[in-house]
Coordinates of all heavy atoms in Angstrom, one line a residue:
M175 N -22.0 -28.9 -7.0 CA -20.5 -28.7 -7.1 C -20.1 -27.7 -6.1 O -20.5 -26.6 -6.1 CB -20.2 -28.3 -8.5 CG -18.8 -28.3 -8.8 SD -18.4 -28.2 -10.6 CE -18.1 -26.5 -10.7
Q176 N -19.1 -28.1 -5.3 CA -18.7 -27.1 -4.3 C -17.2 -26.7 -4.7 O -16.3 -27.5 -5.0 CB -18.6 -27.9 -2.9 CG -18.3 -27.0 -1.8 CD -18.4 -27.7 -0.4 OE1 -18.4 -28.9 -0.4 NE2 -18.5 -27.0 0.6
L177 N -17.0 -25.4 -4.7 CA -15.8 -24.8 -5.2 C -14.8 -24.7 -4.0 O -13.6 -24.8 -4.3 CB -16.0 -23.4 -5.8 CG -16.9 -23.4 -7.0 CD1 -17.1 -22.0 -7.5 CD2 -16.3 -24.3 -8.2
T178 N -15.2 -24.5 -2.9 CA -14.3 -24.4 -1.7 C -14.6 -25.4 -0.6 O -15.7 -25.9 -0.7 CB -14.4 -22.9 -1.1 OG1 -15.7 -22.7 -0.6 CG2 -14.1 -21.8 -2.0
A179 N -13.6 -25.7 0.1 CA -13.8 -26.7 1.2 C -14.6 -26.0 2.3 O -14.5 -24.8 2.5 CB -12.4 -27.1 1.7
P180 N -15.3 -26.7 3.0 CA -16.1 -26.1 4.2 C -15.2 -25.6 5.1 O -14.0 -26.0 5.2 CB -16.8 -27.5 4.8 CG -16.7 -28.5 3.8 CD -15.6 -28.2 2.8
A181 N -15.8 -24.7 5.9 CA -14.9 -23.9 6.8 C -14.1 -24.8 7.8 O -13.1 -24.5 8.2 CB -15.8 -23.0 7.6
H182 N -14.8 -26.0 8.2 CA -14.0 -26.8 9.2 C -13.0 -27.6 8.6 O -12.2 -28.1 9.3 CB -15.1 -27.7 9.9 CG -15.9 -28.6 9.0 ND1 -15.4 -29.4 8.1 CD2 -17.2 -28.8 8.8 CE1 -16.3 -30.0 7.5 NE2 -17.4 -29.6 7.9
D183 N -13.0 -27.8 7.3 CA -11.9 -28.5 6.6 C -10.7 -27.7 6.2 O -9.6 -28.1 6.0 CB -12.5 -29.3 5.3 CG -13.3 -30.2 5.6 OD1 -13.4 -30.8 6.8 OD2 -14.1 -30.7 4.7
R184 N -10.9 -26.4 6.1 CA -9.7 -25.5 5.8 C -8.8 -25.3 7.1 O -9.2 -25.1 8.1 CB -10.2 -24.2 5.4 CG -10.8 -24.2 3.9 CD -11.1 -22.8 3.5 NE -12.6 -22.7 3.7 CZ -13.2 -21.6 4.0 NH1 -12.6 -20.5 4.0 NH2 -14.5 -21.6 4.2
A185 N -7.6 -25.3 6.8 CA -6.5 -25.0 7.8 C -6.6 -23.4 8.0 O -6.5 -22.7 7.1 CB -5.2 -25.4 7.4
P186 N -6.6 -23.1 9.3 CA -6.6 -21.7 9.5 C -5.2 -21.0 9.3 O -4.2 -21.6 9.5 CB -6.9 -21.5 11.0 CG -6.6 -22.8 11.6 CD -6.6 -23.9 10.5
R187 N -5.3 -19.8 8.7 CA -4.1 -19.1 8.4 C -3.6 -18.5 9.6 O -4.3 -17.9 10.4 CB -4.3 -18.1 7.3 CG -4.6 -18.7 5.9 CD -4.9 -17.7 4.9 NE -3.7 -16.9 4.7 CZ -3.7 -15.9 3.9 NH1 -4.8 -15.5 3.2 NH2 -2.6 -15.2 3.6
P188 N -2.2 -18.4 9.8 CA -1.9 -17.6 11.0 C -2.2 -16.2 11.0 O -2.3 -15.5 9.9 CB -0.3 -17.7 10.9 CG 0.0 -18.9 10.0 CD -1.3 -19.0 9.1
T189 N -2.5 -15.5 12.1 CA -2.9 -14.2 12.1 C -1.9 -13.2 11.6 O -2.2 -12.3 10.8 CB -3.3 -13.8 13.6 OG1 -4.2 -14.7 14.2 CG2 -3.8 -12.4 13.7
G190 N -0.6 -13.5 11.8 CA 0.4 -12.7 11.2 C 0.4 -12.6 9.7 O 0.7 -11.5 9.2
V191 N 0.1 -13.6 9.1 CA 0.1 -13.7 7.7 C -1.1 -12.7 7.1 O -1.0 -12.0 6.1 CB 0.1 -15.1 7.0 CG1 -0.2 -15.1 5.5 CG2 1.3 -15.9 7.3
R192 N -2.2 -12.9 7.8 CA -3.4 -12.1 7.3 C -3.0 -10.7 7.6 O -3.5 -9.8 6.7 CB -4.6 -12.4 8.2 CG -5.4 -13.6 7.6 CD -6.7 -13.6 8.2 NE -6.9 -13.2 9.5 CZ -7.4 -13.8 10.5 NH1 -7.7 -15.1 10.4 NH2 -7.4 -13.4 11.7
D193 N -2.4 -10.3 8.7 CA -1.9 -8.9 9.0 C -1.1 -8.4 7.9 O -1.2 -7.3 7.4 CB -1.3 -8.7 10.3 CG -2.3 -9.0 11.5 OD1 -3.6 -9.0 11.2 OD2 -1.9 -9.3 12.6
T194 N -0.1 -9.1 7.5 CA 0.8 -8.7 6.4 C 0.1 -8.5 5.2 O 0.5 -7.5 4.4 CB 2.1 -9.5 6.4 OG1 1.7 -10.9 6.1 CG2 2.9 -9.5 7.7
D195 N -0.8 -9.4 4.9 CA -1.5 -9.3 3.6 C -2.3 -8.0 3.6 O -2.4 -7.3 2.6 CB -2.4 -10.5 3.4 CG -1.7 -11.8 3.0 OD1 -0.5 -11.7 2.8 OD2 -2.4 -12.8 3.0
G196 N -2.9 -7.7 4.7 CA -3.7 -6.4 4.8 C -2.7 -5.2 4.8 O -3.2 -4.2 4.2
M197 N -1.6 -5.3 5.3 CA -0.6 -4.2 5.1 C -0.2 -4.0 3.7 O -0.1 -2.9 3.3 CB 0.6 -4.4 6.0 CG 0.5 -4.3 7.4 SD 2.0 -4.6 8.2 CE 1.5 -5.0 9.9
A198 N -0.1 -5.1 2.9 CA 0.3 -5.0 1.6 C -0.8 -4.3 0.9 O -0.5 -3.3 -0.1 CB 0.6 -6.3 1.0
V199 N -2.0 -4.7 1.0 CA -3.2 -4.1 0.3 C -3.4 -2.6 0.7 O -3.6 -1.8 -0.1 CB -4.5 -4.8 0.5 CG1 -5.6 -4.2 0.0 CG2 -4.3 -6.3 -0.1
A200 N -3.3 -2.3 2.0 CA -3.4 -1.0 2.5 C -2.3 -0.1 2.0 O -2.6 1.1 1.5 CB -3.3 -0.9 4.0
S201 N -1.1 -0.6 1.8 CA 0.0 0.2 1.2 C -0.3 0.6 -0.2 O 0.0 1.7 -0.7 CB 1.4 -0.4 1.4 OG 1.5 -1.6 0.5
F202 N -0.8 -0.4 -1.0 CA -1.2 -0.2 -2.4 C -2.2 1.0 -2.5 O -2.1 1.8 -3.3 CB -1.6 -1.5 -3.0 CG -2.1 -1.4 -4.4 CD1 -1.4 -1.0 -5.5 CD2 -3.5 -1.5 -4.6 CE1 -1.9 -0.9 -6.7 CE2 -4.1 -1.4 -5.9 CZ -3.3 -1.1 -6.9
I203 N -3.3 0.8 -1.7 CA -4.4 1.7 -1.8 C -4.0 3.1 -1.3 O -4.3 4.1 -2.0 CB -5.6 1.3 -1.0 CG1 -6.3 0.0 -1.6 CG2 -6.7 2.3 -0.8 CD1 -7.2 -0.7 -0.7
L204 N -3.2 3.2 -0.2 CA -2.7 4.5 0.2 C -1.7 5.1 -0.8 O -1.8 6.4 -1.0 CB -2.1 4.4 1.6 CG -3.0 4.1 2.7 CD1 -2.2 3.8 4.0 CD2 -4.0 5.2 2.9
G205 N -0.9 4.4 -1.4 CA -0.1 4.9 -2.3 C -0.7 5.4 -3.6 O -0.4 6.4 -4.2
L206 N -1.8 4.7 -4.0 CA -2.6 5.0 -5.2 C -3.4 6.3 -4.9 O -3.3 7.3 -5.7 CB -3.6 4.0 -5.5 CG -4.3 4.0 -6.8 CD1 -3.2 4.0 -8.0 CD2 -5.2 2.7 -7.0
V207 N -4.0 6.5 -3.8 CA -4.8 7.6 -3.4 C -3.8 8.9 -3.2 O -4.1 10.0 -3.4 CB -5.7 7.4 -2.1 CG1 -6.2 8.7 -1.6 CG2 -6.6 6.4 -2.4
G208 N -2.7 8.6 -2.6 CA -1.6 9.5 -2.4 C -1.1 10.3 -3.6 O -0.5 11.4 -3.5
L209 N -1.3 9.6 -4.8 CA -0.9 10.3 -6.0 C -1.8 11.6 -6.3 O -1.3 12.5 -6.9 CB -0.9 9.4 -7.2 CG 0.1 8.3 -7.3 CD1 -0.2 7.4 -8.4 CD2 1.5 8.9 -7.4
L210 N -3.0 11.6 -5.7 CA -3.8 12.6 -6.0 C -4.0 13.6 -4.8 O -4.1 14.8 -5.0 CB -5.2 12.1 -6.3 CG -5.3 11.2 -7.6 CD1 -6.7 10.7 -7.6 CD2 -5.0 12.1 -8.7
V211 N -4.1 13.1 -3.6 CA -4.1 14.0 -2.3 C -3.3 13.4 -1.3 O -3.0 12.3 -1.1 CB -5.7 13.9 -1.9 CG1 -6.6 14.6 -2.9 CG2 -6.2 12.5 -1.6
L212 N -2.9 14.5 -0.4 CA -2.2 14.1 0.8 C -0.9 13.4 0.6 O -0.6 12.5 1.4 CB -3.1 13.6 1.8 CG -4.1 14.3 2.4 CD1 -5.1 13.6 3.2 CD2 -3.7 15.6 3.2
N213 N -0.3 13.5 -0.5 CA 1.0 12.7 -0.8 C 2.0 12.9 0.2 O 2.9 12.0 0.4 CB 1.5 12.8 -2.3 CG 1.5 14.3 -2.6 OD1 1.3 15.3 -1.8 ND2 1.8 14.5 -3.9
L214 N 2.0 14.0 0.9 CA 3.1 14.2 1.9 C 3.0 13.2 3.1 O 3.9 12.7 3.7 CB 3.1 15.6 2.5 CG 4.1 16.0 3.5 CD1 5.5 15.9 3.0 CD2 3.8 17.4 4.1
F215 N 1.7 12.7 3.4 CA 1.3 12.0 4.5 C 1.2 10.5 4.0 O 1.7 9.6 4.7 CB 0.2 12.4 5.3 CG 0.3 13.7 5.9 CD1 -0.5 14.8 5.3 CD2 1.1 14.0 6.9 CE1 -0.3 16.1 5.8 CE2 1.2 15.2 7.5 CZ 0.6 16.3 6.9
L216 N 0.5 10.3 2.9 CA 0.1 9.0 2.5 C 1.3 8.2 1.9 O 1.4 7.0 1.9 CB -1.0 9.0 1.5 CG -2.4 9.5 2.1 CD1 -3.4 9.6 1.0 CD2 -2.7 8.6 3.4
G217 N 2.3 8.9 1.3 CA 3.4 8.4 0.6 C 4.3 7.6 1.6 O 4.6 6.4 1.5
P218 N 4.7 8.3 2.6 CA 5.5 7.7 3.7 C 4.9 6.5 4.4 O 5.4 5.5 4.6 CB 6.0 8.8 4.7 CG 5.8 10.0 3.8 CD 4.7 9.7 2.9
I219 N 3.5 6.7 4.6 CA 2.8 5.5 5.3 C 2.7 4.4 4.5 O 3.0 3.2 4.8 CB 1.3 6.0 5.6 CG1 1.4 7.0 6.8 CG2 0.5 4.8 6.1 CD1 0.1 7.8 6.9
A220 N 2.6 4.6 3.1 CA 2.6 3.5 2.1 C 3.9 2.8 2.1 O 3.9 1.5 2.0 CB 2.1 3.9 0.8
I221 N 5.0 3.6 2.1 CA 6.3 3.0 2.2 C 6.6 2.1 3.4 O 7.0 1.0 3.2 CB 7.4 4.1 2.0 CG1 7.2 4.7 0.6 CG2 8.8 3.6 2.3 CD1 8.1 5.9 0.5
V222 N 6.3 2.6 4.6 CA 6.4 1.9 5.7 C 5.5 0.6 5.8 O 6.0 -0.5 6.1 CB 6.1 2.8 7.0 CG1 6.1 2.0 8.2 CG2 7.1 3.9 7.1
L223 N 4.3 0.7 5.5 CA 3.5 -0.5 5.5 C 3.9 -1.6 4.5 O 4.0 -2.8 4.8 CB 2.0 -0.1 5.1 CG 1.2 0.5 6.2 CD1 -0.3 0.8 5.7 CD2 1.0 -0.3 7.4
A224 N 4.4 -1.2 3.3 CA 4.9 -2.1 2.3 C 6.2 -2.7 2.8 O 6.4 -3.9 2.6 CB 5.1 -1.4 0.9
S225 N 7.0 -1.9 3.4 CA 8.3 -2.5 3.8 C 8.1 -3.6 5.0 O 8.8 -4.6 5.0 CB 9.2 -1.3 4.5 OG 9.5 -0.5 3.4
I226 N 7.2 -3.2 5.9 CA 6.8 -4.2 7.0 C 6.2 -5.5 6.5 O 6.7 -6.6 6.9 CB 5.9 -3.5 8.0 CG1 6.6 -2.4 8.7 CG2 5.4 -4.6 8.9 CD1 5.7 -1.5 9.6
A227 N 5.3 -5.2 5.4 CA 4.7 -6.5 4.8 C 5.8 -7.4 4.1 O 5.7 -8.5 4.2 CB 3.6 -6.1 3.9
L228 N 6.7 -6.7 3.5 CA 7.8 -7.5 2.7 C 8.7 -8.1 3.7 O 9.1 -9.3 3.5 CB 8.5 -6.6 1.8 CG 7.7 -6.1 0.6 CD1 8.5 -5.0 -0.2 CD2 7.5 -7.3 -0.4
I229 N 9.1 -7.4 4.8 CA 9.9 -8.0 5.8 C 9.3 -9.3 6.5 O 10.0 -10.3 6.7 CB 10.4 -6.9 6.9 CG1 11.3 -6.0 6.1 CG2 11.1 -7.6 8.0 CD1 11.6 -4.8 7.0
R230 N 8.0 -9.2 6.8 CA 7.3 -10.2 7.4 C 6.8 -11.3 6.6 O 6.4 -12.3 7.0 CB 6.1 -9.7 8.2 CG 6.4 -8.8 9.4 CD 5.2 -8.4 10.1 NE 5.5 -7.5 11.3 CZ 4.6 -7.0 12.0 NH1 3.4 -7.2 11.9 NH2 5.1 -6.2 13.0
G231 N 7.1 -11.3 5.2 CA 6.7 -12.3 4.3 C 5.3 -12.4 3.9 O 4.8 -13.4 4.1
T232 N 4.8 -11.4 3.3 CA 3.4 -11.4 2.9 C 3.3 -12.4 1.6 O 4.2 -12.5 0.9 CB 2.9 -10.0 2.5 OG1 1.5 -10.1 2.1 CG2 3.8 -9.3 1.4
S233 N 2.1 -12.9 1.6 CA 1.9 -13.7 0.4 C 1.4 -12.9 -0.7 O 1.4 -13.3 -1.9 CB 0.7 -14.7 0.7 OG -0.5 -14.1 1.1
R234 N 1.2 -11.5 -0.5 CA 0.7 -10.6 -1.6 C 1.9 -9.7 -1.9 O 1.9 -8.4 -1.7 CB -0.4 -9.8 -1.2 CG -1.7 -10.6 -0.9 CD -2.8 -9.7 -0.5 NE -4.0 -10.6 -0.3 CZ -5.0 -10.5 -1.1 NH1 -5.1 -9.9 -2.2 NH2 -6.1 -11.4 -0.7
R235 N 3.0 -10.3 -2.3 CA 4.3 -9.5 -2.5 C 4.2 -8.5 -3.6 O 4.7 -7.5 -3.5 CB 5.3 -10.6 -2.8 CG 6.7 -10.0 -3.0 CD 7.8 -11.1 -3.1 NE 9.1 -10.6 -3.5 CZ 9.9 -10.0 -2.6 NH1 9.6 -9.9 -1.3 NH2 11.1 -9.5 -3.0
G236 N 3.4 -8.8 -4.7 CA 3.3 -7.9 -5.8 C 2.5 -6.7 -5.3 O 2.9 -5.5 -5.8
R237 N 1.5 -6.8 -4.5 CA 0.8 -5.6 -4.0 C 1.7 -4.8 -3.2 O 1.7 -3.6 -3.1 CB -0.5 -6.1 -3.2 CG -1.5 -6.7 -4.0 CD -2.7 -5.6 -4.2 NE -3.5 -6.1 -5.3 CZ -4.5 -7.1 -5.0 NH1 -4.7 -7.5 -3.9 NH2 -5.3 -7.3 -6.0
A238 N 2.5 -5.4 -2.2 CA 3.4 -4.7 -1.4 C 4.5 -3.9 -2.2 O 4.8 -2.8 -1.9 CB 4.2 -5.7 -0.4
L239 N 5.0 -4.5 -3.2 CA 5.9 -3.9 -4.1 C 5.3 -2.7 -4.8 O 5.9 -1.7 -5.0 CB 6.5 -4.9 -5.2 CG 7.5 -5.9 -4.5 CD1 7.9 -7.0 -5.6 CD2 8.7 -5.2 -3.9
L240 N 4.1 -2.9 -5.3 CA 3.3 -1.8 -6.0 C 3.1 -0.7 -4.9 O 3.2 0.6 -5.3 CB 2.0 -2.2 -6.5 CG 2.0 -2.9 -7.8 CD1 0.7 -3.5 -8.2 CD2 2.4 -1.9 -8.9
G241 N 2.7 -1.0 -3.7 CA 2.5 0.0 -2.7 C 3.8 0.7 -2.4 O 3.7 2.0 -2.2
L242 N 4.9 0.0 -2.3 CA 6.3 0.8 -2.1 C 6.5 1.6 -3.3 O 7.0 2.8 -3.1 CB 7.3 -0.4 -2.0 CG 8.8 0.1 -1.8 CD1 8.8 0.8 -0.3 CD2 9.6 -1.1 -1.7
T243 N 6.3 1.1 -4.5 CA 6.6 2.0 -5.7 C 5.7 3.2 -5.7 O 6.1 4.3 -6.0 CB 6.3 1.1 -6.9 OG1 7.2 -0.1 -6.9 CG2 6.7 1.9 -8.1
L244 N 4.4 3.0 -5.4 CA 3.5 4.2 -5.5 C 3.8 5.1 -4.3 O 3.7 6.4 -4.5 CB 2.1 3.7 -5.3 CG 1.5 3.0 -6.5 CD1 0.2 2.4 -6.3 CD2 1.3 4.0 -7.7
G245 N 4.3 4.7 -3.1 CA 4.6 5.6 -2.1 C 5.7 6.4 -2.4 O 5.9 7.6 -2.2
I246 N 6.8 5.8 -3.1 CA 8.0 6.6 -3.6 C 7.5 7.6 -4.6 O 8.0 8.7 -4.7 CB 9.0 5.6 -4.1 CG1 9.6 4.8 -3.0 CG2 10.1 6.4 -4.8 CD1 10.5 3.7 -3.3
A247 N 6.6 7.1 -5.5 CA 6.1 8.0 -6.6 C 5.3 9.2 -6.0 O 5.4 10.3 -6.5 CB 5.2 7.2 -7.6
D248 N 4.6 8.9 -5.0 CA 4.0 10.1 -4.2 C 4.9 11.2 -3.9 O 4.7 12.3 -4.0 CB 3.2 9.6 -2.9 CG 2.1 8.7 -3.1 OD1 1.6 8.6 -4.4 OD2 1.6 8.1 -2.3
L249 N 6.0 10.7 -3.2 CA 6.9 11.8 -2.8 C 7.7 12.4 -4.0 O 8.0 13.6 -3.9 CB 8.0 11.1 -1.9 CG 7.5 10.5 -0.6 CD1 8.6 9.9 0.3 CD2 6.8 11.6 0.3
L250 N 7.9 11.8 -5.0 CA 8.5 12.3 -6.4 C 7.5 13.3 -6.9 O 8.0 14.3 -7.4 CB 8.9 11.1 -7.3 CG 10.1 10.3 -6.8 CD1 10.3 9.2 -7.8 CD2 11.3 11.1 -6.6
V251 N 6.2 12.9 -6.9 CA 5.2 13.9 -7.5 C 5.2 15.2 -6.6 O 5.1 16.3 -7.1 CB 3.9 13.2 -7.5 CG1 2.7 14.3 -7.8 CG2 3.8 12.2 -8.7
L252 N 5.3 15.1 -5.3 CA 5.3 16.2 -4.4 C 6.5 17.0 -4.7 O 6.4 18.2 -4.8 CB 5.2 15.7 -2.9 CG 5.4 16.9 -1.9 CD1 4.1 17.7 -2.0 CD2 5.5 16.2 -0.4
L253 N 7.7 16.4 -4.7 CA 9.0 17.1 -5.0 C 8.9 17.9 -6.4 O 9.2 19.0 -6.5 CB 10.2 16.3 -5.0 CG 10.6 15.7 -3.6 CD1 11.7 14.7 -3.8 CD2 11.0 16.9 -2.8
A254 N 8.2 17.2 -7.5 CA 8.1 17.9 -8.7 C 7.3 19.1 -8.6 O 7.6 20.2 -9.2 CB 7.6 16.9 -9.7
F255 N 6.1 19.0 -8.0 CA 5.2 20.2 -7.8 C 5.8 21.2 -6.9 O 5.6 22.4 -7.1 CB 3.8 19.7 -7.3 CG 2.9 19.1 -8.5 CD1 2.7 17.7 -8.6 CD2 2.5 20.0 -9.4 CE1 2.1 17.2 -9.5 CE2 1.7 19.5 -10.5 CZ 1.4 18.1 -10.5
M256 N 6.5 20.8 -5.9 CA 7.2 21.8 -5.0 C 8.3 22.6 -5.8 O 8.4 23.8 -5.6 CB 7.9 21.1 -3.8 CG 6.9 20.7 -2.8 SD 7.6 19.8 -1.5 CE 9.0 20.8 -0.9
Q257 N 9.0 22.0 -6.8 CA 10.0 22.6 -7.5 C 9.3 23.6 -8.6 O 9.8 24.8 -8.8 CB 10.8 21.7 -8.3 CG 11.7 20.8 -7.5 CD 12.8 21.8 -6.8 OE1 13.3 22.6 -7.4 NE2 13.1 21.5 -5.6
A258 N 8.1 23.2 -9.0 CA 7.4 24.0 -10.0 C 6.7 25.2 -9.3 O 6.7 26.3 -9.9 CB 6.3 23.2 -10.8
D259 N 6.0 25.0 -8.1 CA 5.4 26.1 -7.5 C 6.1 26.8 -6.4 O 5.7 27.9 -6.0 CB 4.1 25.5 -6.8 CG 3.1 25.1 -7.9 OD1 3.3 25.5 -9.1 OD2 2.1 24.4 -7.5
S260 N 7.3 26.2 -6.0 CA 8.0 26.8 -4.8 C 7.1 26.7 -3.5 O 7.3 27.6 -2.6 CB 8.6 28.1 -5.0 OG 9.5 28.1 -6.1
T261 N 6.2 25.8 -3.4 CA 5.3 25.7 -2.1 C 5.4 24.2 -1.8 O 5.8 23.4 -2.5 CB 3.9 26.1 -2.5 OG1 3.4 25.2 -3.4 CG2 3.9 27.5 -3.0
V262 N 4.8 23.9 -0.6 CA 4.7 22.6 -0.1 C 3.4 21.9 -0.6 O 3.3 20.7 -0.3 CB 4.8 22.5 1.4 CG1 4.8 21.2 2.0 CG2 6.2 23.3 1.9
S263 N 2.5 22.6 -1.2 CA 1.3 22.0 -1.6 C 1.0 22.2 -3.1 O 1.8 23.1 -3.6 CB 0.1 22.6 -0.9 OG 0.0 24.0 -1.1
W264 N 0.2 21.4 -3.6 CA -0.2 21.7 -5.0 C -1.7 21.3 -5.3 O -2.3 20.8 -4.4 CB 0.6 20.8 -5.9 CG 0.4 19.2 -5.7 CD1 1.2 18.5 -4.7 CD2 -0.4 18.5 -6.4 NE1 0.7 17.2 -4.9 CE2 -0.2 17.2 -5.8 CE3 -1.3 18.6 -7.4 CZ2 -1.0 16.1 -6.4 CZ3 -2.0 17.5 -7.9 CH2 -1.8 16.3 -7.4
S265 N -2.2 22.0 -6.3 CA -3.6 21.8 -6.5 C -3.8 21.6 -8.2 O -2.9 21.9 -8.9 CB -4.5 22.9 -6.1 OG -4.0 24.0 -6.7
F266 N -4.9 21.2 -8.5 CA -5.2 20.9 -9.9 C -5.4 22.3 -10.6 O -5.8 23.2 -10.2 CB -6.4 20.0 -10.1 CG -6.2 18.6 -9.7 CD1 -6.8 18.1 -8.6 CD2 -5.4 17.8 -10.5 CE1 -6.6 16.8 -8.2 CE2 -5.2 16.5 -10.0 CZ -5.8 16.0 -9.1

């Protein structure tokens, strides 16, 4: 029993779609990691990657939206800790 079609029977996906899917996943991962470390850098990168993926029409729209949300959350966490410590960095 074969679950997937052989490689020669599958239609190739356009490179642009694969790139945008990768951007969506990368924005999700960077946004998630950014909640813990380097949120000043990873948050904006996650926001930009998610925005580009959504504009280009990714098939992983949910991941792109999560990446966008997590990128914004990174910056909000940074702002909250900056208000509490009066510094640009924070630690556990």
Side-chain angles (χ1 to χ4, degrees):
M175 184 166 101
Q176 191 173 13
L177 297 177
T178 60
H182 57 55
D183 289 343
R184 282 184 265 154
R187 292 179 65 185
T189 305
V191 173
R192 274 197 330 238
D193 291 344
T194 57
D195 289 350
M197 286 182 196
V199 173
S201 71
F202 171 70
I203 292 171
L204 291 175
L206 196 59
V207 172
L209 287 173
L210 300 175
V211 294
L212 296 172
N213 45 3
L214 180 63
F215 300 107
L216 296 180
I219 293 171
I221 292 169
V222 168
L223 285 175
S225 299
I226 292 171
L228 287 169
I229 289 169
R230 290 186 181 175
T232 182
S233 62
R234 296 181 185 253
R235 185 170 170 79
R237 292 253 168 85
L239 290 172
L240 279 173
L242 183 64
T243 304
L244 287 170
I246 293 169
D248 290 349
L249 297 178
L250 292 176
V251 166
L252 178 64
L253 286 174
F255 280 107
M256 283 174 51
Q257 291 295 320
D259 290 348
S260 298
T261 63
V262 180
S263 63
W264 62 276
S265 61
F266 291 108

